[in-house]
Amino acid sequence: MFSILRSMENWIFGLVFSLFSAALTLVLIAGSQIMNGRRNRKKAVGFFHPYTNDGGGGERVLWCAVKAIQEENSDLDCVIFTGDRDASPQNLTARAIDRFGVELLSQPEVVHLYKRKWIEETTYPRFTMIGQSFGSIYLCWEALRKYTPLYYFDTCGYAFTYPLARLFGCNVICYTHYPTISLDMISRVRQRSSIYNNDASIAKSGWLSRCKIFYYIIFSWMYGFVGSWAHLAMVNSSWTQAHIQKLWKIPNRTKRVYPPCNTSDLQEFSLERPAQPPIFISVAQFRPEKAHPLQLEAFSIAIRKLGEDFPRPKLQFVGSCRYSADEERLQKLRDKAIELKVDGDVEFHKNVTYRDLIKLLGGAIAGLHSMVDEHFGISVVEYMAAGAIPIAHNSAGPRMDIVLEEDGKQVGFLCQSVEEYADAIVKVVRMPESERHRMAAAARKRACRFSEQRFHDDFKAAIRPLLTQRSN
Protein backbone atom coordinates (compact mmCIF):
# COMPACT_ATOMS: atom_id res chain seq x y z
CA MET A 1 0.00 0.00 0.00
CA PHE A 2 2.82 2.32 0.97
CA SER A 3 4.60 1.64 -2.31
CA ILE A 4 1.42 2.40 -4.29
CA LEU A 5 0.97 5.72 -2.49
CA ARG A 6 4.61 6.53 -3.02
CA SER A 7 4.28 5.68 -6.69
CA MET A 8 1.20 7.92 -7.03
CA GLU A 9 2.99 10.70 -5.23
CA ASN A 10 5.92 10.45 -7.59
CA TRP A 11 3.56 10.42 -10.60
CA ILE A 12 1.67 13.52 -9.39
CA PHE A 13 4.94 15.30 -8.61
CA GLY A 14 6.26 14.40 -12.05
CA LEU A 15 3.09 15.63 -13.73
CA VAL A 16 3.11 18.95 -11.85
CA PHE A 17 6.82 19.42 -12.56
CA SER A 18 6.26 18.68 -16.27
CA LEU A 19 3.36 21.13 -16.51
CA PHE A 20 5.32 23.80 -14.65
CA SER A 21 8.33 23.23 -16.91
CA ALA A 22 6.18 23.43 -20.03
CA ALA A 23 4.52 26.62 -18.82
CA LEU A 24 7.86 28.16 -17.91
CA THR A 25 9.28 27.19 -21.31
CA LEU A 26 6.32 28.80 -23.09
CA VAL A 27 6.70 31.97 -21.04
CA LEU A 28 10.42 32.13 -21.78
CA ILE A 29 9.83 31.51 -25.50
CA ALA A 30 7.06 34.12 -25.61
CA GLY A 31 9.19 36.61 -23.70
CA SER A 32 12.11 35.98 -26.02
CA GLN A 33 9.94 36.51 -29.11
CA ILE A 34 8.44 39.70 -27.67
CA MET A 35 11.88 41.11 -26.86
CA ASN A 36 13.10 40.15 -30.31
CA GLY A 37 10.09 41.93 -31.82
CA ARG A 38 10.72 45.04 -29.73
CA ARG A 39 14.36 45.16 -30.84
CA ASN A 40 13.48 44.72 -34.51
CA ARG A 41 10.52 47.07 -34.84
CA LYS A 42 10.16 48.44 -38.35
CA LYS A 43 9.49 52.08 -39.10
CA ALA A 44 6.05 51.25 -40.38
CA VAL A 45 2.34 51.32 -39.69
CA GLY A 46 0.86 47.83 -39.49
CA PHE A 47 -2.85 47.74 -40.27
CA PHE A 48 -4.54 44.79 -38.56
CA HIS A 49 -7.37 44.06 -41.01
CA PRO A 50 -7.88 40.27 -41.29
CA TYR A 51 -10.60 40.58 -43.98
CA THR A 52 -9.42 42.77 -46.85
CA ASN A 53 -12.21 41.63 -49.15
CA ASP A 54 -15.33 42.39 -47.12
CA GLY A 55 -16.32 45.25 -49.41
CA GLY A 56 -17.97 47.29 -46.66
CA GLY A 57 -17.42 50.67 -45.09
CA GLY A 58 -14.67 49.28 -42.90
CA GLU A 59 -12.58 48.41 -45.93
CA ARG A 60 -13.10 51.90 -47.36
CA VAL A 61 -11.78 53.32 -44.08
CA LEU A 62 -8.73 51.04 -44.35
CA TRP A 63 -7.69 52.30 -47.79
CA CYS A 64 -8.42 55.94 -46.99
CA ALA A 65 -6.39 55.57 -43.78
CA VAL A 66 -3.47 54.03 -45.69
CA LYS A 67 -3.55 56.88 -48.19
CA ALA A 68 -3.72 59.50 -45.42
CA ILE A 69 -0.69 57.95 -43.65
CA GLN A 70 1.23 57.92 -46.93
CA GLU A 71 0.42 61.58 -47.47
CA GLU A 72 1.21 62.58 -43.88
CA ASN A 73 4.50 60.71 -43.47
CA SER A 74 6.09 59.18 -46.55
CA ASP A 75 8.93 57.76 -44.43
CA LEU A 76 6.57 55.25 -42.82
CA ASP A 77 5.91 52.01 -44.67
CA CYS A 78 2.33 50.72 -44.67
CA VAL A 79 1.82 47.01 -43.99
CA ILE A 80 -1.47 45.10 -44.16
CA PHE A 81 -1.99 42.10 -41.85
CA THR A 82 -4.57 40.00 -43.71
CA GLY A 83 -5.95 36.49 -43.61
CA ASP A 84 -6.82 36.54 -47.31
CA ARG A 85 -4.45 34.06 -48.93
CA ASP A 86 -4.69 35.64 -52.39
CA ALA A 87 -3.93 39.16 -51.18
CA SER A 88 -0.87 40.80 -52.73
CA PRO A 89 0.40 44.39 -52.89
CA GLN A 90 -0.69 44.58 -56.50
CA ASN A 91 -4.25 43.27 -56.18
CA LEU A 92 -4.94 45.16 -52.94
CA THR A 93 -3.87 48.41 -54.59
CA ALA A 94 -6.07 47.59 -57.57
CA ARG A 95 -8.95 46.68 -55.27
CA ALA A 96 -8.71 50.02 -53.46
CA ILE A 97 -9.24 51.76 -56.80
CA ASP A 98 -11.80 49.39 -58.33
CA ARG A 99 -14.04 48.98 -55.29
CA PHE A 100 -13.65 52.35 -53.56
CA GLY A 101 -12.01 54.79 -55.93
CA VAL A 102 -9.04 55.27 -53.56
CA GLU A 103 -5.70 55.67 -55.35
CA LEU A 104 -2.82 54.85 -52.99
CA LEU A 105 0.49 56.67 -53.34
CA SER A 106 2.43 53.39 -53.20
CA GLN A 107 1.68 49.71 -52.82
CA PRO A 108 1.42 48.49 -49.21
CA GLU A 109 3.36 45.48 -47.99
CA VAL A 110 1.35 42.38 -47.12
CA VAL A 111 1.79 39.99 -44.20
CA HIS A 112 -0.35 36.87 -44.53
CA LEU A 113 -2.05 35.40 -41.48
CA TYR A 114 -3.00 31.72 -41.33
CA LYS A 115 -4.85 31.56 -38.00
CA ARG A 116 -7.90 33.60 -39.04
CA LYS A 117 -10.34 30.82 -38.19
CA TRP A 118 -9.87 31.79 -34.53
CA ILE A 119 -11.76 35.05 -35.09
CA GLU A 120 -14.58 33.63 -37.20
CA GLU A 121 -17.98 33.53 -35.55
CA THR A 122 -18.61 29.98 -36.80
CA THR A 123 -15.73 28.78 -34.59
CA TYR A 124 -17.70 29.77 -31.49
CA PRO A 125 -21.37 28.63 -31.56
CA ARG A 126 -21.64 29.83 -27.94
CA PHE A 127 -19.88 32.69 -26.14
CA THR A 128 -19.06 34.11 -29.55
CA MET A 129 -17.89 37.55 -28.41
CA ILE A 130 -15.37 36.34 -25.89
CA GLY A 131 -14.24 33.50 -28.16
CA GLN A 132 -13.55 35.87 -31.06
CA SER A 133 -11.89 38.35 -28.71
CA PHE A 134 -9.42 35.82 -27.31
CA GLY A 135 -8.99 34.38 -30.80
CA SER A 136 -7.94 37.84 -32.01
CA ILE A 137 -5.08 37.81 -29.47
CA TYR A 138 -3.77 34.59 -31.00
CA LEU A 139 -4.07 36.07 -34.51
CA CYS A 140 -2.33 39.25 -33.40
CA TRP A 141 0.45 37.14 -31.89
CA GLU A 142 0.99 35.54 -35.29
CA ALA A 143 1.01 38.96 -36.95
CA LEU A 144 3.47 40.68 -34.61
CA ARG A 145 5.83 37.70 -34.50
CA LYS A 146 6.11 37.92 -38.28
CA TYR A 147 6.40 41.70 -38.48
CA THR A 148 6.59 44.22 -35.63
CA PRO A 149 5.76 47.78 -36.74
CA LEU A 150 6.35 50.98 -34.84
CA TYR A 151 2.62 51.70 -35.09
CA TYR A 152 -0.03 49.02 -34.70
CA PHE A 153 -3.28 50.23 -36.30
CA ASP A 154 -6.43 48.20 -35.67
CA THR A 155 -9.14 49.04 -38.19
CA CYS A 156 -11.58 46.26 -37.29
CA GLY A 157 -12.32 46.66 -33.59
CA TYR A 158 -10.16 43.90 -32.06
CA ALA A 159 -9.51 45.72 -28.79
CA PHE A 160 -8.23 42.61 -26.97
CA THR A 161 -5.08 42.81 -29.12
CA TYR A 162 -3.99 46.19 -27.75
CA PRO A 163 -2.16 45.03 -24.58
CA LEU A 164 -0.23 42.49 -26.66
CA ALA A 165 0.72 45.15 -29.22
CA ARG A 166 1.93 47.36 -26.37
CA LEU A 167 4.07 44.47 -25.05
CA PHE A 168 5.70 44.30 -28.49
CA GLY A 169 6.56 47.99 -28.12
CA CYS A 170 4.01 49.26 -30.66
CA ASN A 171 2.17 52.54 -30.48
CA VAL A 172 -1.46 51.48 -30.62
CA ILE A 173 -3.95 53.35 -32.81
CA CYS A 174 -7.47 52.19 -33.59
CA TYR A 175 -10.41 53.25 -35.68
CA THR A 176 -13.49 51.88 -33.92
CA HIS A 177 -16.62 51.51 -36.01
CA TYR A 178 -18.69 50.19 -33.11
CA PRO A 179 -18.04 48.87 -29.62
CA THR A 180 -17.86 45.08 -29.34
CA ILE A 181 -20.28 45.43 -26.44
CA SER A 182 -22.44 48.40 -25.59
CA LEU A 183 -24.71 49.47 -22.77
CA ASP A 184 -27.59 49.21 -25.25
CA MET A 185 -26.89 45.50 -25.69
CA ILE A 186 -27.04 44.94 -21.93
CA SER A 187 -30.26 46.95 -21.76
CA ARG A 188 -31.90 44.81 -24.47
CA VAL A 189 -31.04 41.61 -22.63
CA ARG A 190 -32.56 43.10 -19.45
CA GLN A 191 -35.69 43.94 -21.43
CA ARG A 192 -35.57 40.40 -22.87
CA SER A 193 -35.78 41.65 -26.44
CA SER A 194 -35.21 39.08 -29.17
CA ILE A 195 -32.73 40.37 -31.75
CA TYR A 196 -29.91 39.03 -33.95
CA ASN A 197 -27.45 38.96 -31.02
CA ASN A 198 -29.96 37.83 -28.38
CA ASP A 199 -31.54 34.51 -29.29
CA ALA A 200 -35.28 34.10 -28.70
CA SER A 201 -34.69 31.10 -26.43
CA ILE A 202 -32.61 33.29 -24.13
CA ALA A 203 -35.02 36.23 -24.30
CA LYS A 204 -37.89 33.95 -23.18
CA SER A 205 -35.98 32.62 -20.17
CA GLY A 206 -35.52 34.79 -17.10
CA TRP A 207 -32.72 32.59 -15.75
CA LEU A 208 -30.80 32.53 -19.05
CA SER A 209 -31.27 36.29 -19.43
CA ARG A 210 -29.77 36.87 -15.98
CA CYS A 211 -26.82 34.65 -16.86
CA LYS A 212 -26.29 36.56 -20.09
CA ILE A 213 -26.45 39.91 -18.28
CA PHE A 214 -23.73 38.67 -15.91
CA TYR A 215 -21.66 37.51 -18.90
CA TYR A 216 -22.11 40.89 -20.63
CA ILE A 217 -21.16 42.85 -17.50
CA ILE A 218 -17.95 40.83 -17.04
CA PHE A 219 -17.14 41.14 -20.72
CA SER A 220 -17.79 44.90 -20.75
CA TRP A 221 -15.31 45.33 -17.87
CA MET A 222 -12.69 43.32 -19.77
CA TYR A 223 -13.42 45.28 -22.95
CA GLY A 224 -13.02 48.56 -21.09
CA PHE A 225 -9.68 47.42 -19.63
CA VAL A 226 -8.10 46.34 -22.94
CA GLY A 227 -9.47 49.33 -24.85
CA SER A 228 -7.80 51.72 -22.41
CA TRP A 229 -4.39 50.55 -23.70
CA ALA A 230 -4.84 52.47 -26.97
CA HIS A 231 -2.63 55.52 -27.43
CA LEU A 232 -5.22 56.98 -29.81
CA ALA A 233 -8.80 55.84 -30.35
CA MET A 234 -10.66 57.27 -33.34
CA VAL A 235 -14.41 56.64 -33.46
CA ASN A 236 -16.80 57.07 -36.33
CA SER A 237 -19.88 58.69 -34.79
CA SER A 238 -21.43 60.45 -31.82
CA TRP A 239 -23.09 57.19 -30.73
CA THR A 240 -19.85 55.19 -30.82
CA GLN A 241 -17.96 57.98 -29.08
CA ALA A 242 -20.43 58.06 -26.19
CA HIS A 243 -20.16 54.30 -25.63
CA ILE A 244 -16.38 54.12 -26.01
CA GLN A 245 -15.84 56.97 -23.56
CA LYS A 246 -18.04 55.24 -20.98
CA LEU A 247 -16.29 51.88 -21.44
CA TRP A 248 -12.66 52.77 -22.12
CA LYS A 249 -12.50 55.95 -20.01
CA ILE A 250 -9.81 57.65 -22.13
CA PRO A 251 -11.67 60.79 -23.30
CA ASN A 252 -8.48 62.76 -23.97
CA ARG A 253 -7.28 60.04 -26.35
CA THR A 254 -10.64 59.55 -28.08
CA LYS A 255 -11.32 61.53 -31.27
CA ARG A 256 -14.43 61.48 -33.43
CA VAL A 257 -13.52 61.16 -37.11
CA TYR A 258 -16.47 60.61 -39.41
CA PRO A 259 -15.79 57.84 -41.96
CA PRO A 260 -14.99 58.70 -45.58
CA CYS A 261 -18.05 58.77 -47.78
CA ASN A 262 -17.99 59.13 -51.54
CA THR A 263 -19.94 62.36 -51.81
CA SER A 264 -18.08 64.18 -54.62
CA ASP A 265 -18.62 61.57 -57.36
CA LEU A 266 -22.20 60.89 -56.33
CA GLN A 267 -23.14 64.56 -56.34
CA GLU A 268 -22.55 64.65 -60.08
CA PHE A 269 -25.86 62.85 -60.64
CA SER A 270 -28.92 64.83 -61.56
CA LEU A 271 -31.81 64.73 -59.10
CA GLU A 272 -34.00 63.62 -61.99
CA ARG A 273 -34.75 59.90 -62.04
CA PRO A 274 -36.37 57.61 -64.61
CA ALA A 275 -40.15 57.87 -64.18
CA GLN A 276 -40.73 54.12 -64.21
CA PRO A 277 -40.11 52.01 -62.38
CA PRO A 278 -39.23 53.93 -59.21
CA ILE A 279 -36.12 52.21 -57.85
CA PHE A 280 -35.30 51.66 -54.18
CA ILE A 281 -31.78 50.52 -53.31
CA SER A 282 -30.35 48.76 -50.26
CA VAL A 283 -26.56 48.77 -49.91
CA ALA A 284 -25.15 46.60 -47.11
CA GLN A 285 -23.14 43.46 -46.56
CA PHE A 286 -25.30 40.35 -46.29
CA ARG A 287 -24.89 40.05 -42.53
CA PRO A 288 -27.60 39.27 -39.95
CA GLU A 289 -27.50 42.66 -38.22
CA LYS A 290 -28.33 44.47 -41.47
CA ALA A 291 -31.92 43.13 -41.21
CA HIS A 292 -32.54 42.63 -44.94
CA PRO A 293 -35.69 40.50 -44.35
CA LEU A 294 -37.40 43.48 -42.70
CA GLN A 295 -36.79 45.54 -45.84
CA LEU A 296 -38.22 42.79 -48.02
CA GLU A 297 -41.35 42.48 -45.89
CA ALA A 298 -41.85 46.26 -45.85
CA PHE A 299 -41.42 46.38 -49.62
CA SER A 300 -44.05 43.69 -50.19
CA ILE A 301 -46.51 45.53 -47.90
CA ALA A 302 -45.84 48.80 -49.72
CA ILE A 303 -46.56 47.20 -53.09
CA ARG A 304 -49.93 46.02 -51.81
CA LYS A 305 -50.73 49.47 -50.40
CA LEU A 306 -49.81 51.20 -53.67
CA GLY A 307 -52.14 48.98 -55.67
CA GLU A 308 -52.62 49.81 -59.32
CA ASP A 309 -52.79 53.60 -58.94
CA PHE A 310 -49.00 54.07 -58.89
CA PRO A 311 -46.14 52.47 -60.83
CA ARG A 312 -44.86 49.28 -59.22
CA PRO A 313 -41.46 50.00 -57.61
CA LYS A 314 -38.30 47.89 -57.85
CA LEU A 315 -35.93 47.00 -55.00
CA GLN A 316 -32.22 46.41 -55.60
CA PHE A 317 -30.16 44.67 -52.91
CA VAL A 318 -26.45 45.46 -53.32
CA GLY A 319 -23.92 43.87 -50.99
CA SER A 320 -20.93 41.64 -50.47
CA CYS A 321 -20.54 38.15 -49.03
CA ARG A 322 -17.57 37.40 -46.78
CA TYR A 323 -17.96 33.64 -46.50
CA SER A 324 -20.46 30.78 -46.72
CA ALA A 325 -22.73 32.04 -43.92
CA ASP A 326 -23.31 35.26 -45.88
CA GLU A 327 -24.00 33.26 -49.04
CA GLU A 328 -26.64 31.28 -47.15
CA ARG A 329 -28.29 34.48 -45.92
CA LEU A 330 -28.39 35.80 -49.47
CA GLN A 331 -30.05 32.62 -50.69
CA LYS A 332 -32.64 32.79 -47.89
CA LEU A 333 -33.38 36.34 -48.94
CA ARG A 334 -33.97 35.19 -52.52
CA ASP A 335 -36.27 32.45 -51.22
CA LYS A 336 -38.16 34.95 -49.09
CA ALA A 337 -38.73 37.19 -52.11
CA ILE A 338 -40.36 34.23 -53.87
CA GLU A 339 -42.42 33.47 -50.76
CA LEU A 340 -43.66 37.07 -50.62
CA LYS A 341 -44.34 36.99 -54.38
CA VAL A 342 -42.12 39.99 -55.12
CA ASP A 343 -39.22 38.12 -56.75
CA GLY A 344 -40.04 39.79 -60.07
CA ASP A 345 -39.60 43.20 -58.44
CA VAL A 346 -36.37 42.46 -56.58
CA GLU A 347 -32.80 42.31 -57.87
CA PHE A 348 -29.71 41.03 -56.07
CA HIS A 349 -26.27 42.43 -56.90
CA LYS A 350 -23.42 40.62 -55.15
CA ASN A 351 -19.84 41.89 -54.84
CA VAL A 352 -20.26 44.64 -57.42
CA THR A 353 -17.42 46.93 -58.48
CA TYR A 354 -17.22 50.52 -57.32
CA ARG A 355 -18.21 51.77 -60.77
CA ASP A 356 -21.30 49.56 -60.88
CA LEU A 357 -22.32 50.63 -57.37
CA ILE A 358 -22.13 54.28 -58.41
CA LYS A 359 -24.38 53.60 -61.41
CA LEU A 360 -26.94 51.79 -59.27
CA LEU A 361 -27.03 54.60 -56.70
CA GLY A 362 -27.52 57.15 -59.46
CA GLY A 363 -30.73 55.47 -60.60
CA ALA A 364 -32.47 55.16 -57.21
CA ILE A 365 -35.10 57.53 -55.81
CA ALA A 366 -34.60 56.25 -52.25
CA GLY A 367 -32.31 54.03 -50.20
CA LEU A 368 -33.23 51.56 -47.45
CA HIS A 369 -31.24 50.91 -44.30
CA SER A 370 -32.59 48.89 -41.37
CA MET A 371 -29.79 47.95 -38.95
CA VAL A 372 -30.62 48.67 -35.31
CA ASP A 373 -27.91 50.82 -33.69
CA GLU A 374 -25.91 51.22 -36.88
CA HIS A 375 -22.82 52.93 -35.54
CA PHE A 376 -22.68 55.38 -38.43
CA GLY A 377 -24.17 54.40 -41.77
CA ILE A 378 -21.92 55.13 -44.76
CA SER A 379 -24.50 53.78 -47.18
CA VAL A 380 -27.08 56.25 -45.82
CA VAL A 381 -24.75 59.14 -46.62
CA GLU A 382 -24.12 57.69 -50.08
CA TYR A 383 -27.86 57.57 -50.74
CA MET A 384 -28.14 61.24 -49.79
CA ALA A 385 -25.14 62.33 -51.86
CA ALA A 386 -26.53 60.49 -54.89
CA GLY A 387 -29.88 62.25 -54.57
CA ALA A 388 -31.75 59.24 -53.15
CA ILE A 389 -33.97 59.90 -50.14
CA PRO A 390 -32.78 57.86 -47.11
CA ILE A 391 -35.18 55.59 -45.22
CA ALA A 392 -33.11 54.51 -42.21
CA HIS A 393 -33.53 53.02 -38.76
CA ASN A 394 -34.37 55.47 -36.01
CA SER A 395 -31.31 54.78 -33.85
CA ALA A 396 -27.61 55.50 -33.35
CA GLY A 397 -25.71 57.02 -36.31
CA PRO A 398 -28.60 57.78 -38.68
CA ARG A 399 -30.63 59.42 -35.90
CA MET A 400 -27.78 61.23 -34.11
CA ASP A 401 -25.53 62.32 -36.99
CA ILE A 402 -26.95 61.80 -40.48
CA VAL A 403 -30.71 62.02 -41.09
CA LEU A 404 -31.11 65.41 -39.43
CA GLU A 405 -32.78 68.50 -40.84
CA GLU A 406 -30.61 70.69 -43.06
CA ASP A 407 -31.48 74.38 -42.96
CA GLY A 408 -34.80 73.43 -41.40
CA LYS A 409 -35.66 71.02 -44.23
CA GLN A 410 -36.44 67.31 -43.91
CA VAL A 411 -33.81 65.10 -45.55
CA GLY A 412 -35.39 61.65 -45.20
CA PHE A 413 -37.32 59.23 -43.01
CA LEU A 414 -36.45 57.43 -39.76
CA CYS A 415 -38.36 54.22 -39.04
CA GLN A 416 -38.43 51.27 -36.65
CA SER A 417 -41.20 48.81 -37.52
CA VAL A 418 -41.99 47.01 -40.76
CA GLU A 419 -45.14 49.11 -41.06
CA GLU A 420 -43.21 52.38 -40.70
CA TYR A 421 -40.78 51.32 -43.43
CA ALA A 422 -43.68 50.34 -45.70
CA ASP A 423 -45.37 53.70 -45.12
CA ALA A 424 -42.15 55.56 -45.91
CA ILE A 425 -41.76 53.64 -49.19
CA VAL A 426 -45.34 54.50 -50.10
CA LYS A 427 -44.78 58.20 -49.25
CA VAL A 428 -41.72 58.39 -51.50
CA VAL A 429 -43.52 56.75 -54.44
CA ARG A 430 -46.56 59.04 -54.03
CA MET A 431 -44.46 62.16 -53.47
CA PRO A 432 -44.78 64.88 -56.14
CA GLU A 433 -41.59 65.27 -58.15
CA SER A 434 -40.97 68.82 -56.95
CA GLU A 435 -41.25 67.78 -53.30
CA ARG A 436 -38.91 64.85 -53.84
CA HIS A 437 -36.37 67.17 -55.46
CA ARG A 438 -36.49 69.56 -52.50
CA MET A 439 -35.96 66.75 -49.99
CA ALA A 440 -33.21 65.13 -52.08
CA ALA A 441 -31.41 68.49 -52.48
CA ALA A 442 -31.46 69.06 -48.70
CA ALA A 443 -30.18 65.51 -48.14
CA ARG A 444 -27.38 66.04 -50.66
CA LYS A 445 -26.30 69.23 -48.92
CA ARG A 446 -26.16 67.47 -45.55
CA ALA A 447 -24.11 64.61 -47.02
CA CYS A 448 -21.28 67.08 -47.74
CA ARG A 449 -20.51 67.04 -44.00
CA PHE A 450 -19.20 63.48 -44.38
CA SER A 451 -16.92 63.72 -47.41
CA GLU A 452 -13.64 61.88 -47.97
CA GLN A 453 -11.83 65.20 -47.74
CA ARG A 454 -13.26 65.85 -44.30
CA PHE A 455 -12.14 62.35 -43.22
CA HIS A 456 -8.60 63.01 -44.47
CA ASP A 457 -8.41 66.38 -42.70
CA ASP A 458 -9.77 65.09 -39.38
CA PHE A 459 -7.79 61.84 -39.57
CA LYS A 460 -4.50 63.62 -40.16
CA ALA A 461 -5.22 66.12 -37.38
CA ALA A 462 -5.86 63.21 -34.97
CA ILE A 463 -2.74 61.18 -35.80
CA ARG A 464 -0.28 64.04 -36.35
CA PRO A 465 0.63 64.56 -32.68
CA LEU A 466 1.28 60.83 -32.19
CA LEU A 467 3.41 60.54 -35.33
CA THR A 468 5.37 63.66 -34.37
CA GLN A 469 6.00 62.57 -30.79
CA ARG A 470 6.78 58.89 -31.28
CA SER A 471 8.30 58.42 -34.75
CA ASN A 472 11.99 58.07 -34.03
Side-chain angles (χ1 to χ4, degrees):
M1 185 68 179
F2 177 78
S3 61
I4 294 175
L5 291 174
R6 188 61 180 269
S7 176
M8 288 180 64
E9 181 182 287
N10 290 337
W11 181 83
I12 292 171
F13 176 80
L15 177 62
V16 171
F17 181 78
S18 298
L19 290 174
F20 175 77
S21 299
L24 182 61
T25 301
L26 287 173
V27 168
L28 291 173
I29 291 172
S32 173
Q33 291 176 340
I34 288 172
M35 293 307 298
N36 184 59
R38 291 176 70 95
R39 284 193 298 268
N40 296 297
R41 282 180 301 167
K42 307 294 192 301
K43 196 171 183 181
V45 181
F47 291 86
F48 190 70
H49 200 99
Y51 296 93
T52 48
N53 62 354
D54 60 12
E59 191 182 346
R60 175 184 284 279
V61 167
L62 168 66
W63 301 127
C64 287
V66 171
K67 182 178 181 179
I69 292 286
Q70 292 175 340
E71 291 175 346
E72 186 66 20
N73 192 331
S74 58
D75 291 336
L76 287 170
D77 293 327
C78 289
V79 179
I80 311 298
F81 295 112
T82 176
D84 296 316
R85 306 290 179 86
D86 59 345
S88 68
Q90 295 77 18
N91 65 31
L92 288 184
T93 303
R95 181 179 174 82
I97 297 174
D98 294 341
R99 293 296 296 269
F100 302 101
V102 178
E103 189 168 353
L104 303 179
L105 275 62
S106 60
Q107 293 180 351
E109 296 181 47
V110 175
V111 175
H112 289 102
L113 306 177
Y114 298 95
K115 311 296 184 184
R116 193 173 69 180
K117 71 174 184 177
W118 296 107
I119 63 167
E120 292 177 359
E121 61 183 42
T122 52
T123 305
Y124 310 97
R126 294 289 182 270
F127 301 101
T128 308
M129 281 195 313
I130 201 163
Q132 288 180 296
S133 296
F134 281 115
S136 70
I137 300 173
Y138 186 42
L139 190 64
C140 179
W141 172 259
E142 179 192 5
L144 296 179
R145 280 179 56 222
K146 290 181 174 179
Y147 189 106
T148 308
L150 182 60
Y151 297 93
Y152 171 84
F153 200 141
D154 167 42
T155 47
C156 292
Y158 294 108
F160 278 67
T161 65
Y162 304 166
L164 180 62
R166 289 283 290 265
L167 283 175
F168 270 88
C170 303
N171 301 292
V172 177
I173 308 172
C174 65
Y175 189 91
T176 303
H177 298 273
Y178 56 92
T180 303
I181 186 149
S182 69
L183 303 179
D184 291 348
M185 290 168 64
I186 298 173
S187 176
R188 287 202 185 91
V189 177
R190 281 201 175 102
Q191 296 166 2
R192 296 170 66 176
S193 302
S194 177
I195 196 170
Y196 69 91
N197 58 1
N198 191 39
D199 190 82
S201 61
I202 294 176
K204 291 176 182 177
S205 169
W207 183 81
L208 289 176
S209 293
R210 285 191 292 273
C211 289
K212 189 164 186 175
I213 290 169
F214 178 73
Y215 164 51
Y216 272 10
I217 289 173
I218 296 298
F219 184 84
S220 65
W221 179 86
M222 296 168 64
Y223 182 66
F225 172 74
V226 296
S228 68
W229 288 65
H231 289 103
L232 171 63
M234 286 178 276
V235 295
N236 69 340
S237 68
S238 301
W239 182 85
T240 303
Q241 184 175 21
H243 284 282
I244 289 298
Q245 287 182 342
K246 287 179 182 176
L247 292 163
W248 292 5
K249 296 180 174 60
I250 51 170
N252 294 334
R253 288 179 273 149
T254 304
K255 308 293 181 184
R256 184 175 65 206
V257 178
Y258 289 124
C261 303
N262 175 29
T263 57
S264 55
D265 289 348
L266 293 169
Q267 286 176 338
E268 298 298 320
F269 288 113
S270 167
L271 295 179
E272 297 287 341
R273 295 293 189 264
Q276 293 185 9
I279 296 173
F280 289 75
I281 193 169
S282 172
V283 181
Q285 293 173 312
F286 293 105
R287 290 157 50 182
E289 63 269 28
K290 297 301 182 180
H292 289 98
L294 180 148
Q295 298 176 17
L296 203 53
E297 290 172 14
F299 182 69
S300 68
I301 293 171
I303 286 179
R304 292 198 298 272
K305 287 187 174 183
L306 287 166
E308 303 296 328
D309 297 332
F310 291 88
R312 195 175 176 97
K314 183 182 289 293
L315 174 58
Q316 297 174 332
F317 285 107
V318 185
S320 58
C321 292
R322 299 163 298 173
Y323 38 73
S324 59
D326 290 351
E327 295 281 0
E328 291 172 9
R329 275 186 282 273
L330 175 56
Q331 185 55 50
K332 287 180 180 178
L333 206 58
R334 289 192 175 105
D335 295 340
K336 191 172 185 65
I338 295 172
E339 177 188 330
L340 294 171
K341 299 179 181 179
V342 293
D343 50 300
D345 307 297
V346 178
E347 296 176 357
F348 296 93
H349 300 264
K350 185 182 76 170
N351 298 335
V352 301
T353 65
Y354 173 73
R355 289 184 293 273
D356 289 338
L357 172 61
I358 296 297
K359 290 177 184 177
L360 291 167
L361 284 166
I365 65 168
L368 299 179
H369 177 278
S370 53
M371 177 176 168
V372 178
D373 285 342
E374 171 70 89
H375 36 287
F376 181 71
I378 289 179
S379 62
V380 179
V381 175
E382 290 177 337
Y383 300 156
M384 295 161 67
I389 293 172
I391 302 174
H393 196 274
N394 190 18
S395 64
R399 181 176 68 186
M400 297 174 69
D401 291 314
I402 304 173
V403 189
L404 305 177
E405 287 188 351
E406 183 70 20
D407 297 332
K409 298 176 183 176
Q410 184 180 358
V411 302
F413 300 92
L414 291 171
C415 311
Q416 286 184 297
S417 66
V418 172
E419 291 73 19
E420 288 176 351
Y421 275 94
D423 289 342
I425 293 170
V426 169
K427 285 178 184 176
V428 172
V429 174
R430 290 177 174 173
M431 193 179 290
E433 195 72 1
S434 58
E435 183 181 344
R436 185 184 67 78
H437 283 180
R438 282 194 296 271
M439 188 178 291
R444 175 171 281 177
K445 184 177 180 182
R446 179 153 190 85
C448 293
R449 298 170 182 264
F450 312 106
S451 65
E452 282 192 7
Q453 187 57 52
R454 170 145 186 198
F455 169 84
H456 280 274
D457 293 343
D458 292 349
F459 181 91
K460 290 177 182 179
I463 65 170
R464 192 171 294 129
L466 193 64
L467 297 185
T468 302
Q469 294 170 11
R470 298 177 181 270
S471 184
N472 48 52

